[in-house]
Amino acid sequence: MPRTPVAEHEARVRALLSDLSTRASEVVALADALGRVTASDVVSPIPLPPFRNSQMDGFAVLSSDVVAVPVDLPLVGEIAAAPGMPAPLMAGTVVRIMTGAPVPEGADAVVPVEDTHVSGSTVSIARGRVSGEYVREIGSDLPAGAVVIPAGVRLASRHLGALAASGLTSVEVTSPVRVAVISTGSELVEAGEPLGPGQIPDSNGVALAAAVRAVGAFVIAEGRVTDVAERFRAVLDAAVDAGAELVLTSGGISEGEYEVVRETLEPLGAHVDVLAMQPGGPQATASYRGVPVVCFPGNPVSSQLSFLIFVEPVLRALAGLAPAVRTTGVLDRALTSQPGRRQFLRGVRLPDGRVAPHGGSSSHLVATLAAADVLLVIPEDVTSLDAGAAVEVWDL
Ligand code: AMP
Ligand code: MG
């Protein structure tokens, strides 16, 4: 049987998830906003900085008083970084000023303390400063009413800092897609549990849940289930009852026995396919009680890459995030590829900037995947590439 083109499955997953595309938004406190994605442009109600202030510990001066240096000027006061409005500076005098303190009217520059010497109430200035030097103008970082964070930004600490600096306490973010992740396999135990003979830790659940969170979606349920149809159905039902908008499963869709996902969902109309790709041939999509289900094969590399290839781009778009960056790299060595398969080879970036395949292509090599930092994508019709050839690179 000819294998299904990767693009066809891509389109099927996209269509299955198209109902999720109208996302509501919600307002969350900054303390809860890390990793969320802005739903709209956020405007700063205040200018940044909010008032004209000193960039240095030193002396506020009128720049025209310090053109000819050295010069001695009377010290008439001190301004701390503290609440209050300082008195205007009289020409021909200086005032001691701290970093962040308001620059008085009449002053237009700050002479850093290291360029001065104080004796009594006289300040000797060794080096002049032109108008504006070491003065942070009001709104010079951002004017009031300007966009401080645009829509579609996944909020990191620096964004939260800018929002707080704008005096904001909350931010409007997209409502995340609520995802359930279900690992199937009677051989699975929760990571960390002692392993009996024939048992392995469930790594897909952990990896897929993390990958879901990494693109701004929420994991509302994580389940692990044996290859027993009633058990699988019960976990699916629980996920739907918990409000899952999307269910991701791993394992149980191949041609063997005990293919619990396939046995359960195929009679309900699941579309099960073998794709023209490596790793990750077997793939399925289904709808369970009206909720889209995307089913990945069980092998860890297959399931993780399948998420990356088929689901991650859709979740990114739903969260309002820009697509992942795909680049072109230069191969460090020649390679061959199976005809008729899109190959996703694990690779590494070398110190000289080139890329090289890393480890074998088998889909159980979970540690090798962890050691890779790129995927090299070899199209279906390419069977060999020479050293120095261009290759599509996805950063992991
Ligand atoms: P399956 O697709 O169910 O036939 O599983 C294929 C391979 O992936 C088998 O070696 C399974 O033991 C392994 N596998 C399936 N699910 C997981 C999982 N959640 N974590 C780690 N390995 C898994
Ligand atoms: Mg299995």
Side-chain angles (χ1 to χ4, degrees):
M1 220 179 68
R3 291 187 168 220
T4 303
V6 175
E8 193 176 315
H9 187 70
E10 246 165 6
R12 188 171 293 112
V13 172
R14 214 169 277 280
L16 182 72
L17 303 190
S18 60
D19 283 351
L20 301 178
S21 59
T22 31
R23 309 295 318 154
S25 65
E26 59 201 48
V27 174
V28 297
L30 293 192
D32 300 322
L34 183 69
R36 306 293 298 273
V37 178
T38 46
S40 51
D41 289 352
V42 185
V43 163
S44 176
I46 58 171
L48 301 180
F51 57 89
R52 199 165 163 257
N53 70 86
S54 177
Q55 191 176 327
M56 289 295 226
D57 292 327
F59 295 89
V61 300
L62 180 59
S63 57
S64 57
D65 287 342
V66 294
V67 174
V69 284
V71 60
D72 289 352
L73 292 168
L75 176 62
V76 298
E78 181 180 287
I79 310 170
M85 261 300 277
L89 184 78
M90 305 275 286
T93 68
V94 304
V95 65
R96 191 190 294 275
I97 193 165
M98 313 306 154
T99 304
V103 172
E105 236 180 87
D108 68 346
V110 172
V111 178
V113 71
E114 50 268 34
D115 293 337
T116 64
H117 177 77
V118 182
S119 53
S121 59
T122 300
V123 183
S124 304
I125 293 177
R127 179 173 170 196
R129 292 289 169 181
V130 299
S131 183
E133 264 192 286
Y134 294 122
V135 174
R136 303 159 167 169
E137 288 299 336
I138 181 169
S140 53
D141 189 11
L142 192 81
V147 173
V148 56
I149 307 289
V153 171
R154 184 168 155 74
L155 294 169
S157 52
R158 67 187 188 282
H159 305 117
L160 299 177
L163 292 171
S166 305
L168 300 169
T169 56
S170 61
V171 58
E172 185 188 13
V173 293
T174 46
S175 296
V177 180
R178 297 186 301 277
V179 183
V181 177
I182 303 175
S183 302
T184 70
S186 298
E187 73 279 31
L188 302 177
V189 298
E190 189 175 340
E193 279 178 28
L195 297 175
Q199 291 184 317
I200 55 164
D202 168 17
S203 62
N204 293 350
V206 171
L208 290 173
V212 164
R213 291 190 189 99
V215 284
F218 267 14
V219 177
I220 58 145
E222 250 186 283
R224 183 169 32 79
V225 67
T226 53
D227 294 314
V228 176
E230 303 81 71
R231 294 285 310 118
F232 177 59
R233 267 192 105 116
V235 173
L236 269 180
D237 280 325
V240 174
D241 292 342
E245 299 172 277
L246 166 64
V247 178
L248 302 178
T249 70
S250 69
I253 53 167
S254 305
E255 302 279 350
E257 301 297 317
Y258 312 108
E259 307 290 359
V260 70
V261 175
R262 181 176 196 146
E263 285 160 21
T264 306
L265 295 177
E266 216 169 19
L268 302 177
H271 192 107
V272 184
D273 252 339
V274 181
L275 304 191
M277 65 185 271
Q278 214 295 313
Q283 302 282 342
T285 54
S287 184
Y288 186 79
R289 289 173 50 198
V291 175
V293 186
V294 180
C295 310
F296 304 131
N299 269 309
V301 177
S302 305
S303 68
Q304 291 184 45
L305 297 196
S306 300
F307 175 87
L308 202 65
I309 296 161
F310 300 113
V311 176
E312 200 231 39
V314 184
L315 289 183
R316 272 182 177 274
L318 291 173
L321 291 170
V325 178
R326 313 297 194 206
T327 54
T328 303
V330 176
L331 263 182
D332 159 80
R333 68 199 65 167
L335 57 80
T336 58
S337 183
Q338 195 182 350
R341 299 276 191 280
R342 191 179 303 182
Q343 295 280 347
F344 293 87
L345 299 175
R346 284 127 275 176
V348 287
R349 270 187 206 286
L350 301 172
D352 68 359
R354 293 186 166 214
V355 291
H358 175 73
S361 60
S362 295
S363 43
H364 65 290
L365 300 170
V366 65
T368 310
L369 175 60
D373 42 35
V374 292
L375 290 180
L376 310 179
V377 186
I378 318 295
E380 291 82 339
D381 57 353
V382 172
T383 53
S384 67
L385 286 171
D386 295 332
V391 64
E392 186 179 340
V393 175
W394 295 12
D395 280 300
L396 288 173

